[in-house]
Amino acid sequence: DQQVKQNSPSLSVQEGRISILNCDYTNSMFDYFLWYKKYPAEGPTFLISISSIKDKNEDGRFTVFLNKSAKHLSLHIVPSQPGDSAVYFCAASDGNNDMRFGAGTRLTVKP
Amino acid sequence: DAGVTQSPTHLIKTRGQQVTLRCSPISGHKSVSWYQQVLGQGPQFIFQYYEKEERGRGNFPDRFSARQFPNYSSELNVNALLLGDSALYLCASSLWYSGANVLTFGAGSRLTVL
């Protein structure tokens, strides 16, 4: 059961522009959402998170937006840098011990 | 300070064999989770252990088992390997086993079943 979906397998943007990665979920019990970044031959690394009581969380160039009514969240990266090129995973938790991940979006930032 | 370490990094097995994967969590982390990542998909939850007790199990067959040791390290065992078990196996550690929990992942063990 795909409770977390990332419908765009890939995204390409120009350096300095905004990158917007999207994620949809179906389980209304999810109350904590995270974004992870993964480089080849490395494990996923935590990027940013948001609680369901908020609709926005910002950390430097990274901002996550949560729209609970639409069951949708997005990650904005501004400005995008070539070093941001990686696979980005959206993840969600309902307070229990199993975190659900989307299939990932491969971001390529072109110089 | 060392992060989450996993061994081996790569291994090749044949169908029907058994495999044991090992994980050492970040110092101070008492929870260890195991995930399977098949090519083109996101990580899928297999097990979580906290203070040596199983706290959660994903939708995987009984061929998959795990345990956590007194030093909080963990092993994942897979018996009677199938071709479909070929995947990257990720271990993650965290302070807690529930709630607003950030998982810190290791680099993974890539298993190929021939």
Side-chain angles (χ1 to χ4, degrees), chain B residues 4-38:
Chain B
V4 178
T5 57
Q6 292 187 241
S7 64
T9 54
H10 296 83
L11 67 168
I12 300 174
K13 294 284 187 178
T14 57
R15 281 180 297 175
Q17 284 189 314
Q18 175 263 344
V19 67
T20 297
L21 308 177
R22 296 176 176 82
C23 172
S24 292
I26 289 175
S27 177
H29 284 191
K30 298 181 179 180
S31 176
V32 170
S33 301
W34 287 95
Y35 284 79
Q36 180 196 63
Q37 186 183 7
V38 174

Coordinates of all heavy atoms in Angstrom, one line a residue, chain B residues 4-38:
Chain B
V4 N 26.1 5.7 12.1 CA 25.6 4.3 12.1 C 26.5 3.5 11.1 O 26.7 3.9 10.0 CB 24.2 4.3 11.6 CG1 23.7 2.8 11.5 CG2 23.3 5.1 12.5
T5 N 27.1 2.4 11.6 CA 27.9 1.6 10.8 C 27.3 0.2 10.5 O 26.7 -0.4 11.4 CB 29.3 1.4 11.4 OG1 29.1 0.7 12.7 CG2 30.0 2.7 11.6
Q6 N 27.4 -0.2 9.2 CA 26.8 -1.5 8.8 C 27.9 -2.3 8.1 O 28.8 -1.8 7.5 CB 25.7 -1.2 7.8 CG 24.5 -0.5 8.4 CD 23.4 -0.5 7.4 OE1 22.9 0.6 7.0 NE2 22.9 -1.6 7.0
S7 N 27.8 -3.6 8.3 CA 28.6 -4.6 7.6 C 27.9 -5.8 7.3 O 26.9 -6.2 8.0 CB 29.8 -4.9 8.5 OG 29.4 -5.6 9.7
P8 N 28.3 -6.5 6.2 CA 29.3 -6.0 5.2 C 28.6 -5.0 4.3 O 27.4 -4.8 4.3 CB 29.6 -7.3 4.4 CG 28.3 -8.1 4.5 CD 27.7 -7.8 5.9
T9 N 29.4 -4.3 3.5 CA 28.9 -3.3 2.6 C 28.3 -3.9 1.3 O 27.3 -3.4 0.8 CB 30.0 -2.3 2.2 OG1 31.0 -3.0 1.6 CG2 30.4 -1.5 3.4
H10 N 28.9 -5.0 0.9 CA 28.4 -5.7 -0.3 C 28.5 -7.2 0.0 O 29.5 -7.6 0.6 CB 29.1 -5.4 -1.6 CG 29.0 -4.0 -2.0 ND1 29.8 -3.0 -1.5 CD2 28.2 -3.4 -2.9 CE1 29.5 -1.8 -2.1 NE2 28.5 -2.0 -3.0
L11 N 27.5 -8.0 -0.5 CA 27.7 -9.4 -0.5 C 26.8 -10.1 -1.5 O 25.8 -9.5 -1.9 CB 27.4 -10.0 0.9 CG 26.0 -9.9 1.5 CD1 25.9 -10.8 2.7 CD2 25.5 -8.5 1.8
I12 N 27.3 -11.2 -2.0 CA 26.6 -12.0 -3.0 C 26.3 -13.4 -2.4 O 27.2 -14.0 -1.9 CB 27.4 -12.1 -4.3 CG1 27.7 -10.7 -4.9 CG2 26.7 -13.0 -5.3 CD1 28.7 -10.8 -6.0
K13 N 25.0 -13.8 -2.5 CA 24.6 -15.1 -2.1 C 23.8 -15.8 -3.2 O 23.4 -15.2 -4.2 CB 23.7 -14.9 -0.8 CG 24.4 -14.3 0.4 CD 25.3 -15.4 1.1 CE 25.8 -14.9 2.4 NZ 26.6 -15.9 3.1
T14 N 23.6 -17.1 -3.0 CA 22.8 -17.8 -4.0 C 21.4 -18.2 -3.3 O 21.3 -18.1 -2.1 CB 23.5 -19.1 -4.4 OG1 23.8 -19.9 -3.3 CG2 24.7 -18.7 -5.2
R15 N 20.5 -18.4 -4.1 CA 19.2 -18.8 -3.6 C 19.2 -19.9 -2.6 O 20.0 -20.9 -2.8 CB 18.3 -19.2 -4.8 CG 17.7 -18.1 -5.6 CD 16.8 -18.5 -6.7 NE 17.6 -19.3 -7.7 CZ 17.0 -20.0 -8.7 NH1 15.7 -19.9 -8.9 NH2 17.8 -20.7 -9.5
G16 N 18.4 -19.8 -1.5 CA 18.4 -20.8 -0.5 C 19.4 -20.6 0.6 O 19.2 -21.2 1.7
Q17 N 20.4 -19.8 0.4 CA 21.4 -19.5 1.5 C 20.8 -18.6 2.5 O 19.7 -18.1 2.4 CB 22.6 -18.9 0.9 CG 23.5 -19.9 0.2 CD 24.9 -19.3 -0.2 OE1 24.9 -18.2 -0.7 NE2 25.9 -20.1 0.0
Q18 N 21.6 -18.4 3.6 CA 21.2 -17.5 4.7 C 22.2 -16.4 4.8 O 23.3 -16.5 4.4 CB 21.1 -18.3 6.0 CG 20.9 -17.5 7.2 CD 22.1 -17.1 8.0 OE1 23.2 -17.7 7.7 NE2 22.0 -16.1 8.8
V19 N 21.7 -15.2 5.2 CA 22.6 -14.1 5.4 C 22.4 -13.4 6.7 O 21.3 -13.4 7.2 CB 22.4 -13.1 4.2 CG1 21.0 -12.4 4.3 CG2 23.5 -12.0 4.2
T20 N 23.5 -12.8 7.3 CA 23.4 -12.0 8.5 C 24.0 -10.7 8.2 O 25.2 -10.6 7.8 CB 24.1 -12.7 9.7 OG1 23.5 -14.0 9.9 CG2 24.0 -11.8 10.9
L21 N 23.3 -9.6 8.5 CA 23.7 -8.3 8.3 C 23.9 -7.6 9.7 O 23.0 -7.9 10.6 CB 22.8 -7.5 7.5 CG 22.4 -8.1 6.1 CD1 21.4 -7.2 5.4 CD2 23.7 -8.3 5.3
R22 N 24.9 -6.8 9.9 CA 25.1 -6.2 11.2 C 25.1 -4.7 11.2 O 25.4 -4.1 10.2 CB 26.5 -6.7 11.7 CG 26.5 -8.2 11.9 CD 27.9 -8.7 12.3 NE 27.8 -10.2 12.6 CZ 27.9 -11.1 11.7 NH1 28.0 -10.8 10.4 NH2 27.8 -12.4 12.0
C23 N 24.7 -4.1 12.3 CA 24.6 -2.7 12.5 C 25.0 -2.2 13.8 O 24.6 -2.8 14.9 CB 23.1 -2.4 12.2 SG 22.6 -0.6 12.5
S24 N 25.8 -1.2 13.9 CA 26.1 -0.5 15.1 C 25.5 0.9 15.1 O 25.8 1.7 14.2 CB 27.6 -0.4 15.3 OG 28.2 -1.7 15.5
P25 N 24.6 1.2 16.1 CA 24.0 2.5 16.1 C 24.9 3.6 16.6 O 26.0 3.4 17.1 CB 22.8 2.3 17.1 CG 23.4 1.3 18.1 CD 24.2 0.4 17.3
I26 N 24.4 4.8 16.5 CA 25.1 6.0 17.0 C 25.2 5.8 18.6 O 24.2 5.4 19.2 CB 24.4 7.3 16.7 CG1 24.6 7.6 15.2 CG2 24.9 8.5 17.5 CD1 23.8 8.8 14.6
S27 N 26.3 6.2 19.1 CA 26.4 6.1 20.6 C 25.3 6.8 21.3 O 25.0 8.0 21.0 CB 27.8 6.6 21.0 OG 27.9 6.6 22.4
G28 N 24.6 6.2 22.2 CA 23.5 6.8 22.9 C 22.1 6.5 22.3 O 21.1 6.8 23.0
H29 N 22.1 6.0 21.1 CA 20.8 5.7 20.5 C 20.5 4.2 20.9 O 21.3 3.3 20.8 CB 20.9 5.7 19.0 CG 20.9 7.1 18.4 ND1 20.7 7.4 17.1 CD2 21.0 8.3 19.1 CE1 20.7 8.7 16.9 NE2 20.9 9.3 18.1
K30 N 19.2 4.1 21.4 CA 18.8 2.8 21.9 C 17.9 2.1 20.9 O 17.5 0.9 21.1 CB 18.1 2.9 23.3 CG 19.0 3.5 24.3 CD 18.3 3.6 25.7 CE 19.2 4.2 26.7 NZ 18.6 4.3 28.0
S31 N 17.5 2.8 19.9 CA 16.5 2.2 18.9 C 17.2 1.9 17.6 O 18.0 2.8 17.1 CB 15.3 3.1 18.7 OG 14.5 2.6 17.7
V32 N 17.0 0.7 17.1 CA 17.5 0.4 15.7 C 16.4 -0.1 14.9 O 15.6 -0.9 15.3 CB 18.6 -0.7 15.9 CG1 19.0 -1.3 14.5 CG2 19.9 -0.2 16.5
S33 N 16.4 0.4 13.6 CA 15.3 0.0 12.7 C 16.0 -0.5 11.4 O 17.1 -0.1 11.1 CB 14.5 1.2 12.3 OG 13.8 1.7 13.4
W34 N 15.4 -1.5 10.8 CA 15.9 -2.1 9.5 C 14.9 -1.7 8.4 O 13.7 -1.9 8.6 CB 16.1 -3.6 9.7 CG 17.2 -4.0 10.5 CD1 17.2 -4.3 11.8 CD2 18.6 -4.1 10.1 NE1 18.5 -4.6 12.3 CE2 19.3 -4.5 11.2 CE3 19.2 -4.0 8.9 CZ2 20.7 -4.8 11.1 CZ3 20.6 -4.2 8.8 CH2 21.3 -4.6 9.9
Y35 N 15.5 -1.4 7.3 CA 14.7 -1.1 6.1 C 15.3 -1.8 4.9 O 16.5 -2.0 4.8 CB 14.6 0.4 5.8 CG 13.7 1.2 6.7 CD1 14.1 1.6 8.0 CD2 12.5 1.6 6.3 CE1 13.3 2.3 8.9 CE2 11.6 2.3 7.2 CZ 12.1 2.7 8.4 OH 11.2 3.4 9.3
Q36 N 14.4 -2.2 4.0 CA 14.8 -2.8 2.7 C 14.5 -1.7 1.6 O 13.4 -1.2 1.5 CB 14.0 -4.1 2.4 CG 14.4 -4.7 1.1 CD 13.4 -5.8 0.7 OE1 12.3 -5.5 0.4 NE2 13.8 -7.0 0.6
Q37 N 15.5 -1.5 0.8 CA 15.3 -0.6 -0.4 C 15.6 -1.3 -1.7 O 16.7 -1.6 -2.0 CB 16.1 0.7 -0.3 CG 15.8 1.7 -1.4 CD 16.6 2.9 -1.4 OE1 17.6 3.0 -0.7 NE2 16.2 3.9 -2.2
V38 N 14.5 -1.6 -2.4 CA 14.6 -2.2 -3.7 C 14.8 -1.1 -4.7 O 14.3 0.0 -4.6 CB 13.4 -3.0 -4.0 CG1 13.4 -3.6 -5.4 CG2 13.2 -4.2 -3.0

